[in-house]
């Protein structure tokens, strides 16, 4: 991808994360990025296209970060903790309406996120579960397919304002609790010991 286009998409994604998607128009994007609308329209057809391409760029970055975390980790628990750390950096600055805006107003962008979640995230969680079982860090009596599906379903719950009102909870705090709950639920005695050692 063209370097300039990549920069525009990543910077725009940051604007959306900060202010939400629906409330930001093309003039706002151009102003925030200090570029002309003409430059913006060189790379995208309209706002729907911009949102879709931003989601594709964001998902590609997440895939890259996951691969990096894998390479830097010693085992399955390490990998989960590193990925949680990386995700936490994004979740600290995310606007409460982002998930709702995407699902309600930007169907093409939502499809990109849904596919990423159902294929890539599910696949990564499944692989992590199988690795953890092989390493003796996760219990060997869990069903990896069911757990991986439950995990991907919980991603939508993290962003559900009806369950977790943004005035009371941050996405970051909910995500951290979800990960702790996930690891504690699947870890063997050996895994719990390792987790405590890592967290200390």
């Amino acid at each position: 991808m063209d370097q300039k286009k990549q920069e525009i998409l990543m910077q725009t994604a940051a604007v959306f994360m900060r202010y939400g998607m629906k409330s930001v128009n093309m003039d706002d994007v151009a102003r925030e990025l200090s570029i002309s609308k003409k430059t913006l329209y060189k790379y995208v057809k309209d706002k729907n296209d911009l949102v879709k391409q931003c989601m594709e760029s964001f998902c590609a970055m997440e895939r890259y970060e996951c691969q990096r975390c894998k390479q830097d980790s010693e085992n399955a628990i390490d990998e989960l903790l590193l990925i949680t750390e990386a995700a936490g950096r994004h979740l600290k600055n995310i606007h409460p309406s982002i998930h709702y805006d995407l699902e309600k107003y930007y169907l093409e962008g939502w499809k990109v996120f849904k596919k990423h979640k159902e294929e890539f995230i599910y696949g990564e969680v499944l692989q992590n579960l199988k690795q953890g079982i092989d390493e003796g860090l996760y219990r060997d009596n869990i069903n990896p397919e069911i757990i991986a599906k439950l995990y991907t379903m919980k991603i939508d719950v993290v962003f559900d304002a009806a369950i977790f009102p943004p005035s009371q909870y941050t996405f970051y705090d909910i995500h951290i609790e979800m990960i702790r709950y996930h690891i504690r639920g699947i870890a063997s005695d050996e895994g719990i010991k390792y987790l405590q050692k890592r967290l200390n």
Side-chain angles (χ1 to χ4, degrees):
M1 189 191 288
D2 175 313
Q3 183 67 33
K4 177 72 175 167
K5 181 177 182 176
Q6 183 64 30
E7 282 171 23
I8 286 172
L9 292 176
M10 290 312 290
Q11 287 171 359
T12 303
V15 172
F16 287 151
M17 293 292 182
R18 204 159 56 241
Y19 302 116
M21 288 175 174
K22 186 78 172 75
S23 63
V24 175
N25 60 34
M26 297 297 265
D27 287 304
D28 297 327
V29 172
R31 190 168 52 252
E32 285 282 333
L33 272 57
S34 302
I35 59 172
S36 68
K37 264 172 71 176
K38 189 180 171 187
T39 301
L40 193 52
Y41 281 114
K42 236 174 82 176
Y43 299 103
V44 297
K45 293 197 293 275
D46 52 27
K47 190 175 169 192
N48 282 319
D49 186 39
L50 178 61
V51 169
K52 180 183 177 229
Q53 290 197 46
C54 280
M55 283 312 301
E56 286 168 346
S57 184
F58 181 80
C59 291
M61 181 197 67
E62 202 166 75
R63 288 192 293 272
Y64 169 77
E65 283 191 341
C66 279
Q67 294 313 311
R68 196 171 46 77
C69 290
K70 264 187 186 177
Q71 287 162 7
D72 293 346
S73 59
E74 286 179 32
N75 56 46
I77 289 178
D78 266 350
E79 185 186 313
L80 266 186
L81 294 175
L82 284 173
I83 288 170
T84 302
E85 211 176 279
R89 287 194 290 273
H90 301 302
L91 289 170
K92 276 182 174 170
N93 306 311
I94 199 168
H95 192 274
S97 75
I98 201 91
H99 191 270
Y100 176 82
D101 286 356
L102 190 61
E103 185 177 9
K104 187 166 173 63
Y105 302 109
Y106 304 101
L107 182 61
E108 291 308 309
W110 175 252
K111 282 181 189 167
V112 170
F113 174 69
K114 196 166 177 287
K115 187 172 190 282
H116 175 71
K117 184 182 68 177
E118 291 171 359
E119 292 178 14
F120 176 75
I121 295 177
Y122 170 79
E124 289 298 298
V125 174
L126 185 62
Q127 177 272 324
N128 180 271
L129 288 163
K130 289 176 176 176
Q131 180 188 334
I133 292 168
D134 289 344
E135 292 168 343
L137 295 172
Y138 299 160
R139 292 185 288 112
D140 60 8
N141 62 345
I142 60 172
N143 183 317
E145 284 82 10
I146 292 176
I147 302 285
K149 281 185 186 292
L150 285 170
Y151 183 94
T152 54
M153 291 307 292
K154 281 190 286 191
I155 292 169
D156 291 334
V157 175
V158 169
F159 294 100
D160 193 328
I163 299 170
F164 297 113
S167 57
Q168 290 175 252
Y169 309 96
T170 68
F171 295 136
Y172 175 77
D173 291 337
I174 302 162
H175 183 245
I176 291 292
E177 289 302 329
M178 181 182 121
I179 291 294
R180 283 184 188 146
Y181 180 75
H182 175 71
I183 298 177
R184 290 268 177 184
I186 59 177
S188 62
D189 291 342
E190 195 59 42
I192 295 286
K193 279 185 211 155
Y194 182 79
L195 178 65
Q196 286 169 337
K197 191 175 104 181
R198 276 287 271 109
L199 295 179
N200 288 338

